[in-house]
Amino acid sequence: MKATSTQTALVPMGSHALTLGFPGSLGNIEAYISSVNRIPMLTHEEETSLARRLREQNDLAAAQKLVMSHLRLVVSIARGYLGYGLPHADLIQEGNIGLMKAVKRFDPDQGVRLVSYAMHWIKAEIHEYILKNWRLVKIATTKAQRKLFFNLRSHKESLDAMTPAQVEDLAKSLNVKREEVIEMETRMSGHDIALDGPSDDEDDKFAPIAYLSSDTAEPTKALEAKQFDRMQSEGLEAALDKLDARSRRIVEARWLSNDDGSGATLHELADEFGVSAERIRQIESAALKKMKGTLAAYV
């Protein structure tokens, strides 16, 4: 993926939602990184205000500020994927797309900072880019590798792996190391495999797509799980604390005493408190309604 300038390469200008127009041409990747590192970070209050303006008013200026203030995060994450042989600028560009998607979907009322939410989207976009392009990475970079690339196929007598003697002979004839011959043969003999298995075969559950993807890693699912855990711990305890002693005892005996859901019956609690089963049901109903109001703050 080539571009005439870093500005073009790093900013997905095809998006009509917003642009990240830096003034003038940034020239190279180092200039871009230097520029984004100088962009001020947002405080929690500023971030929340901008995110609400975007959600409620579709304020693209607010979206731009949210994206710009987190470009340094993309640079940092993309740096961790340089070992795949893809250009840093391309990785940053894909990460920027993930950041834009995160900003578009970010809900400031979920109780998490944008930096935590965006990290999942940035990584997901970079991962997808690497999976799509790893077979397209330059197969021959050094002079010796290019020589091998153009000559290896014609020197091989069959599609089978070369014998040690053949490797030695080819290395001598091309004046390269035998290790380089082995490495290039391995690269060229690799085959693409389908991520999806055949739809009418039981073995499709073992196709790569079955274990490469994970619903729990999707940002929205992760947030939902975190929110549910918080409601189960902090929220439930807070809701129970709002009840009087009798109401709390009834709710705990009915719904929280056993993991299998087999709590105390209305008649058992009626005998305990010396009232009718109908009265226990009324107290329980009122208590659950009150708890629901408290738990709404954790949803």
Side-chain angles (χ1 to χ4, degrees):
M1 185 180 299
K2 295 183 179 179
T4 56
S5 72
T6 303
Q7 181 181 11
T8 304
L10 298 178
V11 182
M13 302 301 289
S15 172
H16 297 293
L18 62 94
T19 59
L20 307 180
F22 290 99
S25 175
L26 294 177
N28 55 47
I29 184 68
E30 289 77 16
Y32 172 84
I33 295 174
S34 178
S35 295
V36 300
N37 284 337
R38 290 198 298 269
I39 298 174
M41 301 286 286
L42 296 175
T43 64
H44 192 186
E45 292 73 20
E46 290 172 333
E47 179 182 294
T48 301
S49 175
L50 290 169
R52 285 178 177 157
R53 279 167 49 190
L54 174 59
R55 286 179 64 86
E56 297 168 6
Q57 306 170 27
N58 196 31
D59 187 339
L60 297 186
Q64 184 180 38
K65 290 181 180 178
L66 289 169
V67 171
M68 294 286 286
S69 64
H70 288 79
L71 290 178
R72 69 178 68 194
L73 173 65
V74 177
V75 171
S76 176
I77 293 175
R79 189 176 292 118
Y81 294 91
L82 291 176
Y84 289 94
L86 296 168
H88 196 189
D90 288 356
L91 294 171
I92 292 174
Q93 174 178 305
E94 298 303 317
N96 285 345
I97 294 173
L99 173 59
M100 289 182 180
K101 290 181 178 180
V103 167
K104 181 179 179 180
R105 294 166 173 79
F106 180 60
D107 183 355
D109 298 320
Q110 290 287 346
V112 298
R113 293 294 300 269
L114 177 56
V115 64
S116 299
Y117 183 75
M119 193 176 299
H120 296 285
W121 287 95
I122 295 167
K123 288 182 177 180
E125 205 69 28
I126 293 177
H127 287 176
E128 183 178 355
Y129 172 71
I130 291 173
L131 286 174
K132 286 181 178 179
N133 290 273
W134 74 278
R135 289 292 294 168
L136 302 179
V137 176
K138 292 179 181 179
I139 197 168
T141 52
T142 67
K143 183 177 180 180
Q145 288 174 336
R146 286 194 294 271
K147 186 190 299 183
L148 276 170
F149 177 70
F150 289 111
N151 290 277
L152 184 57
R153 188 175 297 277
S154 61
H155 279 76
K156 289 188 65 171
E157 297 177 359
S158 68
L159 295 178
D160 298 330
M162 299 178 68
T163 65
Q166 290 173 327
V167 170
E168 196 69 39
D169 291 341
L170 183 57
K172 289 181 179 179
S173 65
L174 296 178
N175 194 27
V176 296
K177 296 178 181 178
R178 63 184 308 276
E179 291 78 10
E180 292 177 323
V181 175
I182 295 172
E183 179 186 0
M184 184 58 64
E185 185 194 22
T186 302
R187 290 187 185 186
M188 294 183 65
S189 61
H191 300 288
D192 292 327
I193 59 173
L195 288 177
D196 295 300
S199 58
D200 58 347
D201 194 328
E202 280 295 320
D203 289 338
D204 61 353
K205 67 182 67 176
F206 301 107
I209 195 65
Y211 51 82
L212 283 177
S213 61
S214 172
D215 290 338
T216 58
E218 199 274 324
T220 303
K221 297 286 186 182
L223 278 178
E224 288 176 354
K226 182 178 180 180
Q227 186 181 70
F228 181 77
D229 291 342
R230 183 166 174 259
M231 185 175 68
Q232 286 281 74
S233 53
E234 299 176 31
L236 185 59
E237 187 60 36
L240 289 171
D241 286 343
K242 296 285 186 180
L243 303 178
D244 59 78
R246 183 172 65 171
S247 297
R248 177 164 183 159
R249 164 63 185 151
I250 291 173
V251 170
E252 289 180 336
R254 290 277 289 158
W255 301 103
L256 304 175
S257 58
N258 296 312
D259 293 335
D260 60 3
S262 58
T265 66
L266 294 175
H267 291 286
E268 289 173 344
L269 291 169
D271 292 340
E272 179 180 334
F273 289 100
V275 296
S276 67
E278 175 60 20
R279 180 57 183 152
I280 294 295
R281 188 195 65 77
Q282 293 173 353
I283 295 172
E284 176 190 33
S285 178
L288 292 176
K289 185 176 181 181
K290 188 173 184 180
M291 289 178 67
K292 184 177 180 181
T294 303
L295 288 171
Y298 294 85
V299 176

